[in-house]
C-alpha cells in the first residue's frame, strides 16, 4: 500500500458515491462521505450498507478508520483536497437531465468554501456536456456574493461501474477518464487513482485481481469530451443490445437461433461478445435516462440522433415481446395466473429503476391476469415503490409456480438454474415458460412438459 493519502469528500452515497468512497478508503485515503439523506447516513454509521451491492460491506469493515459519514458538507469540505460529486441525475419527463441535485451541491460548495482555499471539485455524476462549466459558474457566483477568493477547478471524471459488480469495476476498471482544464487537477487525480492505475494495492480477499487483467488506461481530455465519453459509451452499449434484439425478432421468423447468431457475430474481435445477448432489453438507472438525455441535448442543437432514437424505441417494444408470446400460447390472458421470475433490472441488485418487470406486470394486470412474483432481493423495494401494482409476493419459485398458467423469466438470477422444474411444473395449471433472458436451453424445460419460448429462438 502506498504511503501518501488524499483527503477526499464524496457527496452522494448511492451506488456510485458509496462504492467510490469505500474503495478510496480501502486504498488508504481518508474519505468523508456526505449524503443529504439522514437515514442513509445513520445506516452507514452503524455499518449497514443501504444499497444491495456485493463486496461493499466487507471493504467497509476492513477500513473503518479511513471512513467518515455525515450529512454536513460544511463540516468536512475545507479539510479536503478533492471533492467528488456523485449525486443522482435522473431524467425529467421530457428526457432532459434533472440537474437540480448537482446544482444544489454546487451551491452548497460555494456557500462553504473558505477564503484562499485550494480545492479540486470532481464531477462523477453522469451529466450533459457543459456541466463542469455549469458547476463552476454556480460556485463562482456564490463566492463572488460572499466576497471570497478560492483557487479551485472543476474536473469531469465519469463513472463506468456496473451495479452488481461496482466494487470489482472500481478496483479493476478498463479505463479512467479525466476531463480537466488544468494540469494540477489531472496530476491530483492521477495520484489519487495511482494504486488502481498501477495495481499496487493488495486485492481484497473476496475480490482477487482477475488473471490476465491489463492495467487500465488513464485518458485525459477536456471536460466536454469526458462528459460525452460517458454518454457515448452508454448509448453504444444500449444500441448493441437493441441491435441484437432486432436481429432476434428476425431470427424467430426465419428459423434461426439468436444464441448461435450472436456467437458467430460476437467472436469477431471488432464486435465482441458482451452486450450481444437477446432478451427483453435493458433497464436500470442509466441506459434509458442517458439515451434520452443525449437525444434531448442533441435536439438543442437541431441535431437528430436517429440511431439512438431507434434503439430506445426498439427497447420499449422489446419489453412486450413476452406478452405477445404469452398471448400466442394462452390465447386469452384475462383470468390466467402468471408467475414472474425476477423483478430487479438485473441479477445481483435490488434496483428497480426502469426495470422491465414493472412495465410487464402493469401490462399483465391491465390485460386481466393475476400476477405472482418472486425475486431473491428486490421484493421489498418493489412493494415500497410499486404498491399500486397488485401482485402476490412469494417466498420461493415453488410457491410462485403453484396454480400458475405460465411463468415469465424477467431477471436471470443464477438460482433459477437450480430450480427442480419437474416439481415446479407439477403444481401449475398449465406448463408455459417464457424465458425473457434466454437463460435455459429449450430442452431443460421441455423434458418436464413445459411449452418453452425464448427470445429469437425458433
Ligand atoms: N448506478 C449506476 O450503475 C451508475 C453507473 C455509472 C454512473 N452513474 C451515475 O452516477 C450518478 C449517481 O448515481 P447513483 O446510482 O449512485 O445514484 P443514487 O440515487 O443511488 O445516489 C445518489 C445519492 O445522492 C444523494 N444526494 C442527492 N442530493 C444530495 C445533496 N444535495 N447532498 C448530498 N447528497 C445528495 C441521495 O440522497 C442519494 O443517496 C448518476 O449521475 C448516475 O447516472 C450511475
Amino acid at each position: 500500500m502506498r504511503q501518501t493519502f488524499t483527503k477526499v469528500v464524496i457527496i452522494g452515497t448511492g451506488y456510485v458515491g458509496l462504492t467510490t468512497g469505500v474503495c478510496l478508503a480501502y486504498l488508504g485515503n481518508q474519505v468523508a462521505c456526505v449524503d443529504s439523506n439522514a437515514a442513509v447516513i445513520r445506516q452507514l454509521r452503524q455499518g449497514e450498507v443501504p444499497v444491495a451491492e456485493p463486496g461493499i460491506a466487507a471493504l467497509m469493515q476492513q477500513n473503518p478508520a479511513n471512513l467518515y459519514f455525515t450529512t454536513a458538507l460544511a463540516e468536512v469540505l475545507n479539510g479536503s483536497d478533492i471533492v467528488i460529486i456523485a449525486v443522482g441525475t435522473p431524467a425529467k419527463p421530457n428526457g432532459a437531465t434533472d440537474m437540480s441535485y448537482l446544482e444544489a451541491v454546487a451551491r452548497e460548495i460555494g456557500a462553504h468554501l473558505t477564503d484562499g482555499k485550494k480545492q479540486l471539485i470532481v464531477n462523477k455524476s453522469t451529466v450533459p456536456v457543459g456541466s463542469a462549466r455549469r458547476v463552476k459558474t454556480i460556485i463562482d457566483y456564490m463566492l463572488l456574493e460572499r466576497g471570497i477568493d478560492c483557487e479551485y477547478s472543476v474536473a469531469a471524471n465519469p463513472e463506468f461501474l456496473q451495479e452488481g459488480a461496482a466494487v470489482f469495476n472500481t478496483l479493476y476498471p478498463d479505463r479512467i477518464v479525466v476531463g480537466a482544464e488544468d494540469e494540477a487537477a489531472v496530476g491530483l487525480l492521477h495520484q489519487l487513482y495511482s494504486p488502481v492505475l498501477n495495481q499496487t494495492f493488495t486485492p481484497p480477499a473476496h475480490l482477487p485481481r482477475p488473471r490476465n487483467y491489463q492495467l487500465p488506461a488513464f485518458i485525459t481530455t477536456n471536460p466536454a469530451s469526458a462528459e460525452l465519453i460517458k454518454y457515448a459509451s452508454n448509448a453504444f452499449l444500449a444500441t448493441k443490445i437493441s441491435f441484437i434484439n432486432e436481429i432476434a425478432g428476425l431470427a424467430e421468423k426465419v428459423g434461426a437461433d439468436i444464441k448461435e447468431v450472436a456467437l458467430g457475430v460476437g467472436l469477431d474481435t471488432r464486435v465482441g461478445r458482451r452486450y450481444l445477448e437477446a432478451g427483453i432489453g435493458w433497464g436500470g438507472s442509466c441506459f434509458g435516462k442517458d439515451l434520452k438525455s443525449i437525444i434531448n441535448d442533441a435536439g438543442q442543437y437541431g441535431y437528430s440522433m436517429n440511431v439512438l432514437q431507434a434503439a430506445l424505441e426498439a427497447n420499449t417494444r422489446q419489453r412486450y415481446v413476452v406478452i405477445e408470446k404469452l398471448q400466442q400460447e394462452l390465447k386469452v390472458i384475462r383470468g390466467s395466473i402468471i408467475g414472474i421470475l425476477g423483478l430487479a433490472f438485473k441479477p445481483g441488485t435490488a434496483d428497480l429503476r426502469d426495470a422491465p418487470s414493472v412495465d410487464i406486470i402493469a401490462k399483465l394486470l391491465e390485460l386481466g391476469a393475476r400476477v405472482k412474483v418472486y425475486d431473491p432481493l428486490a421484493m421489498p423495494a418493489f412493494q415500497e415503490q410499486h404498491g399500486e401494482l397488485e401482485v402476490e409476493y412469494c417466498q420461493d419459485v415453488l410457491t410462485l409456480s403453484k396454480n400458475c398458467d405460465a411463468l415469465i423469466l424477467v431477471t436471470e438470477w443464477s438460482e433459477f438454474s437450480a430450480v427442480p422444474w419437474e416439481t415446479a411444473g407439477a403444481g401449475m395449471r398449465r406448463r408455459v415458460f417464457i424465458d425473457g433472458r434466454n437463460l435455459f436451453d429449450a430442452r431443460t424445460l421441455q423434458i418436464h412438459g413445459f411449452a418453452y419460448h425464448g427470445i429469437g429462438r425458433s
Side-chain angles (χ1 to χ4, degrees):
M1 209 69 77
R2 83 205 146 128
Q3 296 306 306
T4 54
F5 65 85
T6 310
K7 289 183 181 166
V8 187
V9 165
I10 314 264
I11 306 178
T13 60
Y15 287 92
V16 169
L18 185 61
T19 306
T20 306
V22 168
C23 288
L24 288 175
Y26 177 75
L27 298 174
N29 301 287
Q30 287 197 346
V31 182
C33 295
V34 182
D35 203 290
S36 50
N37 185 332
V40 163
I41 292 300
R42 243 191 329 273
Q43 263 184 295
L44 287 165
R45 283 184 172 165
Q46 287 163 4
E48 291 167 25
V49 179
V51 290
E53 192 56 52
I56 291 192
L59 278 201
M60 256 170 75
Q61 280 157 15
Q62 281 187 39
N63 285 77
N66 286 359
L67 275 168
Y68 178 71
F69 298 105
T70 180
T71 52
L73 176 63
E75 190 192 326
V76 289
L77 176 66
N78 290 295
S80 70
D81 308 306
I82 303 180
V83 174
I84 298 177
I85 306 173
V87 295
T89 48
K92 289 183 186 174
N94 68 354
T97 304
D98 179 351
M99 300 284 283
S100 60
Y101 301 98
L102 188 80
E103 291 176 357
V105 168
R107 282 193 295 276
E108 219 186 327
I109 293 173
H112 294 295
L113 277 178
T114 50
D115 211 9
K117 174 82 177 86
K118 280 190 173 180
Q119 187 77 60
L120 173 58
I121 296 159
V122 177
N123 187 21
K124 211 171 232 319
S125 297
T126 303
V127 281
V129 173
S131 296
R133 204 161 66 177
R134 172 95 183 109
V135 167
K136 185 148 182 21
T137 306
I138 293 173
I139 298 175
D140 279 347
Y141 263 82
M142 298 287 297
L143 297 181
L144 197 68
E145 245 175 44
R146 293 173 57 220
I148 296 254
D149 195 16
C150 292
E151 205 182 306
Y152 81 96
S153 63
V154 181
N157 173 215
E159 179 54 61
F160 301 98
L161 63 76
Q162 301 164 65
E163 282 176 33
V167 177
F168 180 87
N169 294 152
T170 304
L171 294 177
Y172 310 114
D174 295 330
R175 78 296 208 193
I176 290 175
V177 174
V178 167
E181 302 288 8
D182 62 303
E183 289 198 359
V186 173
L188 206 51
L189 283 167
H190 190 277
Q191 180 191 315
L192 180 70
Y193 289 123
S194 72
V196 172
L197 291 168
N198 300 310
Q199 291 292 304
T200 48
F201 64 91
T202 307
H206 62 286
L207 278 179
R209 186 170 292 125
R211 275 165 183 260
N212 307 324
Y213 175 67
Q214 308 272 324
L215 291 183
F218 187 67
I219 296 173
T220 56
T221 180
N222 60 26
S225 302
E227 289 162 345
L228 190 55
I229 285 171
K230 173 64 192 177
Y231 277 113
S233 296
N234 272 1
F236 182 79
L237 294 172
T239 304
K240 202 173 172 189
I241 296 171
S242 279
F243 166 81
I244 201 67
N245 281 336
E246 189 164 278
I247 301 289
L250 183 61
E252 285 180 14
K253 297 196 187 303
V254 299
D257 186 317
I258 196 64
K259 279 209 158 186
E260 285 161 27
V261 173
L263 179 69
V265 174
L267 281 173
D268 184 330
T269 51
R270 292 172 302 178
V271 178
R273 290 182 62 185
R274 299 186 65 201
Y275 287 77
L276 213 54
E277 282 144 12
I280 50 176
W282 78 71
S285 66
C286 293
F287 282 178
K289 96 170 159 64
D290 292 352
L291 240 72
K292 285 178 194 152
S293 179
I294 192 173
I295 291 168
N296 181 76
D297 286 358
Q300 292 174 348
Y301 295 82
Y303 188 68
S304 57
M305 305 206 77
N306 301 338
V307 172
L308 302 190
Q309 187 65 46
L312 200 57
E313 284 163 17
N315 194 60
T316 304
R317 183 182 69 179
Q318 197 66 16
R319 291 186 177 182
Y320 299 108
V321 162
V322 287
I323 308 250
E324 286 164 25
K325 289 179 188 294
L326 206 58
Q327 283 171 325
Q328 278 165 26
E329 194 64 50
L330 298 182
K331 308 299 178 208
V332 179
I333 290 186
R334 191 175 309 283
S336 56
I337 304 176
I338 311 298
I340 301 292
L341 292 154
L343 296 170
F345 86 90
K346 69 172 185 182
T349 178
D351 198 340
L352 290 164
R353 289 178 283 185
D354 198 18
S357 63
V358 178
D359 287 343
I360 292 168
I361 291 168
K363 187 71 189 172
L364 287 171
L365 292 173
E366 185 193 316
L367 292 172
R370 188 168 153 207
V371 178
K372 298 173 79 178
V373 302
Y374 168 70
D375 186 290
L377 266 189
M379 288 198 293
F382 194 89
Q383 207 156 7
E384 193 187 314
Q385 295 165 30
H386 298 286
E388 78 285 359
L389 297 175
E390 281 187 33
V391 298
E392 186 183 332
Y393 295 91
C394 302
Q395 287 318 307
D396 52 47
V397 176
L398 293 185
T399 321
L400 174 92
S401 53
K402 206 160 185 352
N403 293 327
C404 278
D405 295 287
L407 300 175
I408 304 179
L409 189 144
V410 174
T411 316
E412 65 276 37
W413 287 98
S414 58
E415 70 172 64
F416 295 155
S417 300
V419 169
W421 289 111
E422 173 60 44
T423 317
M428 294 176 68
R429 294 203 298 202
R430 286 185 65 178
R431 297 187 193 189
V432 174
F433 196 102
I434 314 287
D435 185 354
R437 297 292 183 186
N438 285 347
L439 181 66
F440 295 103
D441 283 327
R443 262 192 64 73
T444 308
L445 276 300
Q446 283 167 346
I447 54 170
H448 300 305
F450 282 88
Y452 173 89
H453 296 264
I455 306 286
R457 307 168 82 187
S458 48

